[in-house]
């Protein structure tokens, strides 16, 4: 039956348990990492007005880019070592397995929009850096400075703190005390050091990852982020990598990840979650198993995965139970009479 606008929806933004929780089943379903409700709602409205799952993911992530969700998506956030903000984004069609993505995109605000153009107008999957900017311009996007007073202030504070924190290790001068430029430490004195950057701010948001399941069961997923603060220029995280930042496959489900991208991307967590669901695991277990696999190697990594199967059940898996109090997901879902909306 034609459901109108956004009325029959359930908006749940909850604090979920360690490896998660819940679900009612009805489709369509829109979920995204973090309490970025406006993004969830934008995606929902797109579906309600007849848009495809891909359109919904694009409009949801685009809204976050515009609202600069928590400074971690879109322009004006996460300056790199040179003070520049660059963007990563990806969009995936779980029906056709088409993907478009951009990494380290410069001077273009709408990363998810450019990713969509990569999907639609090329047979490539991922474009990066200055060349991705040229591609975007050819698609009609305008170039603008992505810096803001806020990002300039973040960067100058960082310089004033001797470039702390940063992501270098085993270099001279000692990266835990000084700014670069750095050179490799001679082998004679080489010992594995941890990078100076210990991510303490686990409640800090990063990256929107979104999953949409259409009422027909068609799936799409996507991400958008400005990466991590004070990254080494050129660093691209997990977000624009299919299978890592997000993955969708109509025959199994869809997933998206958030957290320490440099670790996450080594495990293709979104792909892995979808594969677990394909093997019959429910979303809760799929999410949890993905986190456990990573924790075997990186017990202290920070991350979360959202998993949804094609019948609209979904879950959130977290690397630490303590994250329960800060990691949330935002979800819109049709309410069916048989479910107990709000009891989760
Ligand atoms: C969400 O949208 C409302 C209405 O447009 C706006 O007032 C609010 O600031 C937005 N929230 C965020 C976090 O940007
Ligand atoms: C989705 O997960 C729910 C909860 O585990 C399960 O009952 C349902 O059968 C799953 N759907 C599919 C298509 O596997």
């Amino acid at each position: 039956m034609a459901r109108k606008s956004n009325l029959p929806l359930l908006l749940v933004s909850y604090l979920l348990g360690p490896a998660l929780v819940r679900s009612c089943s009805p489709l369509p379903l829109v979920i995204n990492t973090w309490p970025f409700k406006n993004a969830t709602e934008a995606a929902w409205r797109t579906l309600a007005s007849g848009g495809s799952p891909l359109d919904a993911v694009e409009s949801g992530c685009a809204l976050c880019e515009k609202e600069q969700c928590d400074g971690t998506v879109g322009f004006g956030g996460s300056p790199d070592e040179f003070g520049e903000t660059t963007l990563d984004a990806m969009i995936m069609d779980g029906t056709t397995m088409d993907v478009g993505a951009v990494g380290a995109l410069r001077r273009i605000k709408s990363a998810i929009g450019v990713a969509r153009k990569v999907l639609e107008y090329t047979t490539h999957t991922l474009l990066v850096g200055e060349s991705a900017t040229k591609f975007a311009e050819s698609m009609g996007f305008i170039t603008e400075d992505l810096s803001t007073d806020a990002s300039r202030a973040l960067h100058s504070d960082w310089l004033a703190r001797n470039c702390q924190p940063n992501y270098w290790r085993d270099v001279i001068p000692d990266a835990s005390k000084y700014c670069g430029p750095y050179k490799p430490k001679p082998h004679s004195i080489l010992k594995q050091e941890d990078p100076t950057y210990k991510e303490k701010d686990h409640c800090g948001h990063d990256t929107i990852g979104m999953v949409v399941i259409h009422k027909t069961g068609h799936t799409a997923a996507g991400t958008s982020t400005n990466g991590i603060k004070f990254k080494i220029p050129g660093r691209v995280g997990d977000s624009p990598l299919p299978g890592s930042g997000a993955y969708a496959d109509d025959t199994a489900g869809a997933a998206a990840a958030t957290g320490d991208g440099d670790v996450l991307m080594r495990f293709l967590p979104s792909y892995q979650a979808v594969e677990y669901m394909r093997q019959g695991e429910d979303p809760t277990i799929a999410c949890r198993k993905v986190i456990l696999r990573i924790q075997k190697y990186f017990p202290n990594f920070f991350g979360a995965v959202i998993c949804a199967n094609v019948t609209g059940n979904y879950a959130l898996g977290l690397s630490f139970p303590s994250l329960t109090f800060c990691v949330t997901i935002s979800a819109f879902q049709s309410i069916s009479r048989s479910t107990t909306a709000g009891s989760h």
Side-chain angles (χ1 to χ4, degrees):
M1 163 180 329
R3 293 183 185 272
K4 283 286 158 46
S5 84
N6 62 340
L7 288 180
L9 64 81
L10 162 65
L11 163 58
V12 216
S13 172
Y14 24 2
L15 306 173
L16 295 164
L20 198 6
V21 189
R22 86 115 307 130
S23 287
C24 332
S25 296
L27 298 174
L29 169 71
V30 176
I31 54 174
N32 56 262
T33 55
W34 307 109
F36 302 148
K37 292 193 197 100
N38 287 355
T40 326
E41 189 173 355
W44 185 268
R45 286 184 193 287
T46 299
L47 288 180
S49 60
S52 68
L54 223 46
D55 296 334
V57 167
E58 182 180 355
S59 69
C61 292
L63 193 80
C64 247
E65 290 170 347
K66 218 164 84 192
E67 289 186 346
Q68 301 170 278
C69 285
D70 280 314
T72 64
V73 183
F75 68 100
S78 306
D80 66 16
E81 289 190 340
F82 298 156
E84 182 177 3
T85 295
T86 57
L87 307 180
D88 299 339
M90 185 241 300
I91 187 162
M92 175 161 189
D93 183 333
T95 306
T96 61
M97 306 309 276
D98 261 337
V99 177
V102 287
L105 177 68
R106 310 179 69 188
R107 302 190 310 283
I108 304 276
K109 285 187 175 172
S110 179
I112 192 78
V114 181
R116 179 81 186 263
K117 300 291 191 237
V118 173
L119 185 156
E120 285 188 349
Y121 297 108
T122 80
T123 55
H124 292 318
T125 298
L126 171 63
L127 298 182
V128 303
E130 194 61 34
S131 307
T133 305
K134 287 218 173 68
F135 167 78
E137 284 187 283
S138 74
M139 290 285 119
F141 293 84
I142 51 162
T143 55
E144 324 173 55
D145 184 359
L146 301 189
S147 297
T148 58
D149 289 345
S151 68
R152 278 185 284 267
L154 275 172
H155 185 245
S156 52
D157 288 352
W158 178 77
L159 288 174
R161 287 194 311 267
N162 284 327
C163 308
Q164 305 301 315
N166 61 62
Y167 296 89
W168 297 83
R169 64 177 173 191
D170 292 324
V171 291
I172 44 177
D174 181 349
S176 70
K177 299 193 177 72
Y178 308 105
C179 291
Y182 306 105
K183 287 193 298 203
K185 235 187 223 176
H187 276 96
S188 52
I189 54 169
L190 187 67
K191 76 177 188 356
Q192 280 277 313
E193 277 170 13
D194 279 342
T196 62
Y197 202 168
K198 302 271 194 314
E199 177 66 76
K200 290 279 168 12
D201 182 19
H202 280 168
C203 285
H205 303 154
D206 65 350
T207 309
I208 181 167
M210 179 175 275
V211 161
V212 170
I213 318 281
H214 193 257
K215 60 179 188 278
T216 57
H218 289 315
T219 62
T223 60
S224 184
T225 184
N226 52 31
I228 46 176
K229 286 197 286 268
F230 319 125
K231 62 191 171 190
I232 299 171
R235 182 265 189 189
V236 170
D238 61 315
S239 299
L241 309 180
S244 196
Y247 201 68
D249 181 342
D250 286 5
T251 63
T258 183
D260 181 350
D262 293 297
V263 168
L264 286 166
M265 74 165 80
R266 302 170 191 175
F267 295 87
L268 297 178
S270 298
Y271 172 80
Q272 190 60 54
V274 169
E275 288 312 296
Y276 283 137
M277 289 188 280
R278 187 194 307 287
Q279 291 160 21
E281 299 291 13
D282 78 42
T284 307
I285 304 295
C287 267
R288 182 187 290 148
K289 284 174 88 167
V290 163
I291 296 289
L292 288 174
R293 272 175 83 136
I294 303 174
Q295 281 177 329
K296 266 172 67 182
Y297 297 89
F298 297 94
N300 299 321
F301 101 103
F302 158 64
V305 184
I306 57 175
C307 302
N309 72 14
V310 290
T311 43
N313 286 80
Y314 65 95
L316 164 69
L318 302 173
S319 58
F320 294 111
S322 60
L323 292 174
T324 303
F325 300 104
C326 58
V327 179
T328 56
I329 62 180
S330 177
F332 278 25
Q333 180 166 51
S334 302
I335 295 173
S336 91
R337 280 178 215 72
S338 59
T339 56
T340 49
S343 71
H344 308 286

